[in-house]
Amino acid sequence: MDVLIFVDEAMVMGRRVRPSRRADMLSVGMGALLMVAQMAMADPVRVERTAEGARLLVNGKPFYIQGAGGSASKEKLAQAGGNAFRTWGVGDDTQATLDEAQRLGLKVLLGIWLGHERHGFDYNDPQQVRQQFEAARAAVLRYKDHPALLAWGVGNEMEGFGQGDNPKIWAAVNDIAKMIHELDPHHPTVSTVAEVGGQRVKALHEWCPDIDIVGINSYGGVRSLPQRYRAAGGTKPYVVTEYGPPGTWEVGRNAWGVPEELTSTQKAEIYSAAYQALAADPLCLGSFAFTWGSKQEATATWFSLFLPDGVKLAGVDALTACWTGRPPDNLCPVIRRFELVGDPIVEPGAAVKVALDAADPEGAPLRVEWVLYREMEEFETGGDDRPTPPTFPEAIVSGDQRGAELRMPAQPGHYRLFAYAYDDKDGGAAANLPLKVDSQAPKVRGKPAHLPLAIYSDDAPGAAYIPSGYMGDINAIHLDDKCADSPWKGPTCLKINFAHSGGWGGVVWQDPPNDWGQQPGGYDLTGAQTLRFYARGERGGEKVKFGFGLLGRDTPFFDTGKSEIEVTLSSDWTEYQIDLKGKNLERIKSGFYWVLGGQGQPVTFFLDEVRYE
C-alpha cells in the first residue's frame, strides 16, 4: 500500500529526504510512514548541569535512572519500579528490545560494543578501527529516532583491566561519540569503564570531550565511588552501569584458593546500600543493577538477581523497595544460616553434613533443592559467559529445609554445594559453599574433652588451654589472673590491660603452649554447643573481639572450626555466648582469644568463667 505525505525534511529509513522540486509530495511505503511517525514521538534527552551537580532531562523532565542490565523479564523490571535498562551491543533483536521497552514505559541505554584487545581486537589496525566505526554509524542511523532510546553506550570496559591509558582506544571512543553527536544531537553519549583506577577518569575527561557521561562498573567499592571518582579527577556526570555484590577478585580465598560467596539474603543488603549511596550523590545520574537475570560467572549465582528458571532472588525485593519506596507484597525466602557440619576437606566418598536455616517472611512452606557442582576452574573471566559445570545428583543422600547429607564423589577435586529455597509465589533464595575431596585429608583429632571445659574459672585452676600466644604490641599487654576487683563469680577474675593508646594486641589460649600450628595437639570439643564467658570494661565502651580457632589451613595442624564476635563492653558484667552449633570441633588448638585495637587511651577489661558447654 502506498500513501502520500507532505514533508519539509525528514529522516526516512535512515536517509535524509528533501521535498521534490516538482512537487511537495513523496510516495513512500507504509513502513516509512511509521518511521516518520515514530520520529515525531521521540523524546529528546540531555544532560543539565546544576549548582549541586547534574541531572538528566527526558523531554524536559528530570529523569533519574533506576535501572538494571540483563536478560530477565523487562515486564518484571517495570513492575518492580525500574525505569530503564542497558544493553551491551546491537544485534538482531535490538528493534524488538526497543519496541518492548517503549510498550512498558522503559528507556534504554543502547550499547555499541567496542572491541577488547584481550579478545584479539587491534586498535593499531586502521581497518579494524574503521570497520568498528562504520558499524557504530549504521546502528546510530537505524535506532537514533526510537522513542525508547535514552542514551548511547559507547563501549564497555574496552580499555582492559590495566591502567586504561592506551590513547588509540580513547581516540576511537571519541571519534564514535563525535559522530553520534553529528547524527543524533538529541541523545547523550556514555562510555563505560571498569572502575575508576589507573588513567580511566583522566582519559575520559581529557581525551574524550564528546563523551557526555562517564559510565562506571563498580562492585565491592561501589558505596565509596562518589568520593573515589572525585579523587580521581572526575567532574563529568556519571552513571553506574553495573553494580552488585563484591566480585570474586574483591573477596578473600579459602584454604585451597577459591572464593566464598555471600547468600542471596546478604547480597540484597548490598544492592540496597549501594543504590542509596549513589542516589545521595548529585553528580550521579542513576544506576543499573547487575545482572537482571541469571549468569554463570564464577558460580551459577554470583551476580544473579534471578535463578535460571526465572524465580526472583532477594536482590529484586531490595531494588523494588529502593525504586518504589515500599517492598513488594511477597518477599523472597531468607537464609539465616548455612554451614558445614564438619571439615570442608574430606576423603573420597566421605559423608558430609550441612545445616540450613531458611524461612519465608510470610510463613509459607519452602521447597529446597540441593545441587552439587564441580567447581569452576577459573573465577575472573572479565564478564565472559562460562559453560555450566557438571553436577552430581547421586551425591545428595538426603536434603530438606533443615540441611542435607552428601556422599562426596570418589574423584579428588573441588566442588560447590548449592541450596535453592523456593516459596509458593515466584520467590527464591540461594546459598552455596565450597568443598574439597582430597585423598590426603588430615585425620588427626584433638584429645577427647570432658564437657564443660574451662578456659578460665576458679573452679578449674588447671585449665586445658594456656594463654601463651601474645600478639601485636606484646609489651603493652598485662594479664592478672588473680584479680579480686569485683569478680563475676568466686574470689578472683582475669584482669587484662593494654597500655598503649594506639597499635593493637591480643592473647590466644593455646594447646600446646606457644604453638602456632606446627605441632599436633588441641582438644576434640565435639558436642559443645556454646562458648560462654562474662566480661566487663573498666569504664565501659571498650571494643574487643573474642573468638576461637585462629589457625588456618596454611599450617600443618590447624583448627577445624572458628568463630569470632566483636562487642562493646559495659562497665557491668555481661554474659556473652559464641554459638558452636554446626562447627567442626574435632581439633581446636586455639581455644579462646581476645584482640583489640588502640582506642586513643589504654584499655582495661575483665573476664570471668570462660568455658565450653
Side-chain angles (χ1 to χ4, degrees):
M1 171 182 175
D2 286 346
V3 297
L4 294 177
I5 60 173
F6 292 89
V7 295
D8 291 326
E9 183 174 332
M11 289 296 297
V12 179
M13 300 304 289
R15 302 184 65 180
R16 189 169 297 280
V17 178
R18 298 182 182 276
S20 167
R21 292 181 180 179
R22 298 179 60 186
D24 291 338
M25 294 185 296
L26 178 68
S27 178
V28 296
M30 181 59 75
L33 176 60
L34 292 176
M35 179 68 79
V36 174
Q38 176 176 286
M39 182 189 68
M41 295 186 293
D43 294 330
V45 183
R46 65 184 179 91
V47 178
E48 179 184 68
R49 298 305 296 255
T50 67
E52 296 79 17
R55 63 179 181 174
L56 204 60
L57 298 178
V58 175
N59 206 20
K61 298 179 181 179
F63 186 93
Y64 185 79
I65 297 171
Q66 299 180 163
S71 60
S73 165
K74 302 307 183 294
E75 186 170 355
K76 290 184 178 180
L77 177 63
Q79 292 170 351
N83 61 12
F85 62 91
R86 70 168 292 203
T87 69
W88 283 258
V90 171
D92 294 339
D93 62 344
T94 298
Q95 183 67 44
T97 296
L98 289 167
D99 291 345
E100 181 186 28
Q102 178 66 11
R103 178 176 61 82
L104 296 171
L106 301 172
K107 293 294 184 181
V108 182
L109 171 59
L110 188 59
I112 295 176
W113 183 260
L114 300 188
H116 290 202
E117 291 179 310
R118 66 188 180 90
H119 293 153
F121 193 92
D122 186 0
Y123 281 89
N124 293 309
D125 184 341
Q127 183 176 358
Q128 288 191 48
V129 173
R130 187 64 192 176
Q131 288 175 345
Q132 178 171 262
F133 179 91
E134 291 300 331
R137 185 176 186 275
V140 174
L141 288 172
R142 183 170 183 180
Y143 300 113
K144 70 184 184 65
D145 295 317
H146 199 288
L149 180 63
L150 179 68
W152 295 99
V154 186
N156 180 82
E157 299 184 355
M158 62 279 138
E159 80 284 3
F161 303 124
Q163 287 295 304
D165 57 354
N166 185 342
K168 292 191 175 182
I169 294 177
W170 298 115
V173 168
N174 196 66
D175 286 346
I176 292 174
K178 183 178 180 180
M179 173 267 294
I180 291 174
H181 282 150
E182 292 171 352
L183 296 179
D184 180 11
H186 302 302
H187 297 98
T189 57
V190 183
S191 190
T192 292
V193 293
E195 261 290 347
V196 294
Q199 300 301 309
R200 291 165 175 79
V201 176
K202 179 180 179 182
L204 282 166
H205 282 70
E206 296 183 7
W207 297 344
C208 298
D210 284 283
I211 290 297
D212 303 307
I213 303 167
V214 176
I216 305 169
N217 295 341
S218 182
Y219 290 89
V222 65
R223 280 178 280 182
S224 64
L225 190 60
Q227 297 77 29
R228 294 187 296 110
Y229 177 65
R230 287 168 173 78
T235 58
K236 289 186 178 185
Y238 70 93
V239 58
V240 176
T241 39
E242 291 180 19
Y243 71 96
T248 55
W249 61 93
E250 297 172 306
V251 300
R253 300 297 177 99
N254 70 0
W256 59 93
V258 303
E260 297 186 354
E261 184 176 346
L262 299 174
T263 68
S264 58
T265 303
Q266 294 167 323
K267 292 176 190 177
E269 298 173 1
I270 292 174
Y271 281 105
S272 179
Y275 176 87
Q276 293 168 10
L278 298 172
D281 183 7
L283 205 57
C284 181
L285 303 178
S287 55
F288 294 89
F290 185 85
T291 176
W292 191 260
S294 175
K295 184 180 183 184
Q296 177 71 44
E297 185 176 347
T299 73
T301 54
W302 198 286
F303 297 108
S304 300
L305 283 162
F306 291 83
L307 294 176
D309 56 5
V311 170
K312 68 170 183 169
L313 296 171
V316 176
D317 293 348
L319 291 169
T320 301
C322 290
W323 293 341
T324 67
R326 61 183 299 272
D329 294 334
N330 178 69
L331 294 170
C332 290
V334 296
I335 294 178
R336 297 183 290 217
R337 185 167 69 99
F338 184 61
E339 291 182 329
L340 181 68
V341 182
D343 200 304
I345 301 179
V346 298
E347 294 182 289
V352 170
K353 291 185 178 181
V354 178
L356 174 67
D357 182 4
D360 182 73
E362 290 82 32
L366 296 182
R367 174 177 62 87
V368 179
E369 179 182 353
W370 295 88
V371 183
L372 182 68
Y373 286 91
R374 170 74 74 172
E375 185 71 278
M376 295 286 292
E377 295 182 358
E378 54 183 340
F379 298 100
E380 281 80 55
T381 60
D384 298 342
D385 286 307
R386 307 303 298 159
T388 301
T391 62
F392 301 84
E394 69 280 2
I396 310 300
V397 177
S398 64
D400 56 24
Q401 188 174 335
R402 296 172 298 176
E405 294 188 14
L406 289 76
R407 181 68 62 182
M408 294 301 292
Q411 182 180 1
H414 299 169
Y415 299 84
R416 193 170 289 256
L417 176 66
F418 281 75
Y420 299 105
Y422 298 87
D423 65 14
D424 56 354
K425 294 182 180 179
D426 196 39
N432 66 69
L433 52 84
L435 298 167
K436 181 178 180 180
V437 173
D438 187 348
S439 59
Q440 302 299 317
K443 307 175 183 63
V444 180
R445 286 176 173 258
K447 295 167 285 189
H450 300 286
L451 300 174
L453 183 76
I455 301 292
Y456 176 88
S457 174
D458 288 318
D459 297 335
Y465 294 93
I466 307 301
S468 54
Y470 282 61
M471 305 180 293
D473 300 332
I474 60 176
N475 294 327
I477 300 170
H478 178 71
L479 269 60
D480 177 5
D481 61 356
K482 301 297 182 184
C483 175
D485 184 359
S486 303
W488 165 256
K489 177 183 177 183
T492 64
C493 61
L494 176 60
K495 180 180 180 180
I496 298 152
N497 175 253
F498 183 71
H500 288 179
S501 58
W504 71 279
V507 174
V508 188
W509 275 250
Q510 300 171 308
D511 183 81
N514 301 304
D515 174 62
W516 295 93
Q518 301 305 310
Q519 303 176 45
Y523 286 85
D524 182 354
L525 298 168
T526 301
Q529 299 294 306
T530 301
L531 173 55
R532 188 191 310 271
F533 60 95
Y534 297 82
R536 68 177 176 90
E538 184 176 55
R539 288 180 295 269
E542 298 87 350
K543 294 183 181 297
V544 188
K545 292 181 180 179
F546 300 99
F548 74 94
L550 273 183
L551 301 178
R553 291 180 174 274
D554 55 341
T555 61
F557 299 95
F558 50 85
D559 290 304
T560 58
K562 64 179 181 179
S563 189
E564 180 182 87
I565 60 173
E566 182 175 15
V567 302
T568 300
L569 298 175
S570 166
S571 58
D572 297 322
W573 284 105
T574 303
E575 177 187 298
Y576 298 97
Q577 296 184 36
I578 297 178
D579 186 9
L580 304 179
K581 291 188 290 293
K583 302 294 183 183
N584 181 1
L585 305 176
E586 292 178 355
R587 183 177 63 206
I588 303 301
K589 300 180 79 254
S590 46
F592 185 69
Y593 66 83
W594 63 265
V595 64
L596 59 82
Q599 297 169 28
Q601 59 185 336
V603 176
T604 298
F605 67 97
F606 303 84
L607 287 169
D608 207 351
E609 293 300 313
V610 183
R611 63 177 69 225
Y612 285 87
E613 300 176 349

